[in-house]
Amino acid sequence: MKIGKIATYFFMDGKPRLWHSMVALLFVLFWLASCTPMHNYGYPHRLRIGVSGGTRVIAGWDTFYSIDITDRDGNGASDQPYYGERADSLTALQQDSLDYWPDSIAVTYQWLTVKSAWCDNKLTLIAEPNTTGKSRSLWVALWIMDSFAEIKIVQ
């Protein structure tokens, strides 16, 4: 359909068809909203942990398949149960078997450990005490579908 025909349909004789314009606008807005990921999938964007360290449990709306912990330079550690040496050493039949799937995933980098049960939306964050006297931060990325939720951990 050409632009001229669309414009003629919505603006007949120079007067807009308000009803049709509103329906078209709502359709476009809903279409655009469906293409964006949910608001960090329910996980907090920022989490502050006290200087004494400790354990915090957080939850989101969706499960994840990988955990990455990185510092501000991009260095870090990750746990991806789908990939890695263990998965490469298994045969295809063994990889498809539920007996070889992990029951939990855990990542440790610098002063932070992140643990979770497999196919769960809850995370357990364990921070060591901060003896540096300065604020420090790490980023936790949870890979969900084809996107990720990112949480900044500040201590």
Side-chain angles (χ1 to χ4, degrees):
M1 184 178 267
K2 294 185 178 184
I3 299 296
K5 288 184 179 182
I6 294 173
T8 303
Y9 181 77
F10 286 110
F11 298 97
M12 181 183 237
D13 298 331
K15 298 177 184 175
R17 293 183 181 177
L18 185 60
W19 174 252
H20 296 284
S21 300
M22 293 301 289
V23 169
L25 179 65
L26 285 174
F27 175 75
V28 169
L29 289 175
F30 283 124
W31 177 66
L32 290 173
S34 68
C35 296
T36 59
M38 288 189 270
H39 186 66
N40 213 36
Y41 296 96
Y43 294 95
H45 287 280
R46 184 180 169 118
L47 184 67
R48 181 169 286 281
I49 297 177
V51 177
S52 60
T55 302
R56 297 280 300 265
V57 177
I58 60 172
W61 299 325
D62 223 333
T63 61
F64 47 88
Y65 65 89
S66 175
I67 301 173
D68 296 342
I69 303 175
T70 56
D71 58 18
R72 68 174 162 207
D73 297 326
N75 302 318
S78 67
D79 187 3
Q80 297 176 332
Y82 285 121
Y83 311 107
E85 290 179 24
R86 182 168 178 259
D88 292 340
S89 65
L90 300 175
T91 66
L93 185 60
Q94 288 173 327
Q95 287 178 2
D96 290 339
S97 171
L98 292 177
D99 295 337
Y100 288 91
W101 285 80
D103 59 350
S104 64
I105 52 179
V107 181
T108 300
Y109 183 68
Q110 292 181 2
W111 48 271
L112 183 66
T113 300
V114 180
K115 297 179 180 181
S116 178
W118 183 247
C119 289
D120 196 5
N121 65 336
K122 294 179 192 162
L123 284 174
T124 303
L125 297 113
I126 304 166
E128 296 174 2
N130 186 352
T131 57
T132 64
K134 300 177 183 177
S135 178
R136 58 187 183 180
S137 58
L138 291 173
W139 286 263
V140 175
L142 306 172
W143 290 95
I144 302 169
M145 292 183 260
D146 61 348
S147 185
F148 63 93
E150 188 174 54
I151 307 165
K152 182 178 181 180
I153 311 296
V154 178
Q155 183 182 33

